[in-house]
Amino acid sequence: LHMAKTATRHGIPILGVNIGTMGFMAEVENSEMDLLARLATDDYVLDERMMLDVVVHRGRDIIFHDIGLNDVVVTKGAVARIVHLDVRCDGIQAMEFGGDGVIVATPTGSTAYSLSAGGPIVEPEANSFVVTPICAHTLGARSVVFDAAKQTIFVRVLNAESIAPILECDGNVIVQLNGGDSVA
């Protein structure tokens, strides 16, 4: 996951090798290391995976810009409070709720945190993303799948006075958010 960003920036494909117990992205298992020899003879197929382009706006300023392979999460952090979020698709409100946060996942990430939070599994080569609320305090907040080729998702923090919401990109805490900050 963490190497995906660096490899993407340099146009280098990556190959996942599962040497542990969980390897959703791994094409090669620990017992199949002999298959690596196929790389030398160009005997392989490349699968392209979409990534999220993440920008955090504070007023007119861009305070963060990065890419993510699995997901981007806006969450309340460690504080036992509710974060209130406004989620929009191309400027039209898709959901507004209070809860623990929201996950915006790629098809690759749909089998990770988003799935654990109740989101759907999306076919890996689909050009879409999933928006999944985390422990929403309303019945109307459900996962929604959007067309990534045509739509942009915006998440705006409505409250931050008594909490310190954060943005995580592929599991790394990146930015502490303020009320009014938006993530696109």
Side-chain angles (χ1 to χ4, degrees):
L1 261 186
H2 304 293
M3 286 305 300
K5 292 179 188 189
T6 303
T8 297
R9 287 185 183 113
H10 292 91
I12 300 170
I14 59 173
L15 172 66
V17 178
N18 183 14
I19 57 174
T21 58
M22 189 176 294
F24 292 115
M25 296 259 328
E27 294 294 324
V28 177
E29 294 296 321
N30 195 19
S31 60
E32 301 174 314
M33 298 300 262
D34 57 312
L35 293 176
L36 294 177
R38 293 173 55 185
L39 294 173
T41 61
D42 291 332
D43 183 19
Y44 59 86
V45 176
L46 291 178
D47 291 330
E48 291 197 23
R49 299 293 179 103
M50 69 168 285
M51 295 181 79
L52 296 168
D53 185 17
V54 185
V55 179
V56 177
H57 297 272
R58 182 166 292 152
R60 293 185 175 157
D61 296 329
I62 294 175
I63 64 167
F64 175 76
H65 183 217
D66 203 358
I67 55 175
L69 177 63
N70 261 4
D71 52 41
V72 172
V73 179
V74 176
T75 182
K76 64 183 180 58
V79 178
R81 300 258 199 267
I82 294 172
V83 63
H84 293 277
L85 300 171
D86 177 25
V87 180
R88 295 179 177 264
C89 178
D90 291 338
I92 299 169
Q93 189 175 61
M95 61 185 85
E96 182 180 323
F97 66 95
D100 287 354
V102 67
I103 304 162
V104 179
T106 64
T108 301
S110 73
T111 60
Y113 190 14
S114 180
L115 177 64
S116 296
I121 295 173
V122 177
E123 194 273 320
E125 293 182 11
N127 194 12
S128 59
F129 39 71
V130 179
V131 176
T132 302
I134 307 168
C135 298
H137 289 252
T138 180
L139 294 176
R142 298 284 181 247
S143 294
V144 180
V145 179
F146 293 96
D147 184 342
K150 299 178 183 174
Q151 299 167 312
T152 302
I153 297 297
F154 297 90
V155 178
R156 189 166 53 99
V157 177
L158 299 178
N159 71 319
E161 300 78 34
S162 61
I163 62 171
I166 57 172
L167 174 92
E168 297 177 4
C169 189
D170 284 341
N172 293 321
V173 175
I174 305 292
V175 177
Q176 182 172 336
L177 301 171
N178 294 336
D181 286 355
S182 66
V183 180

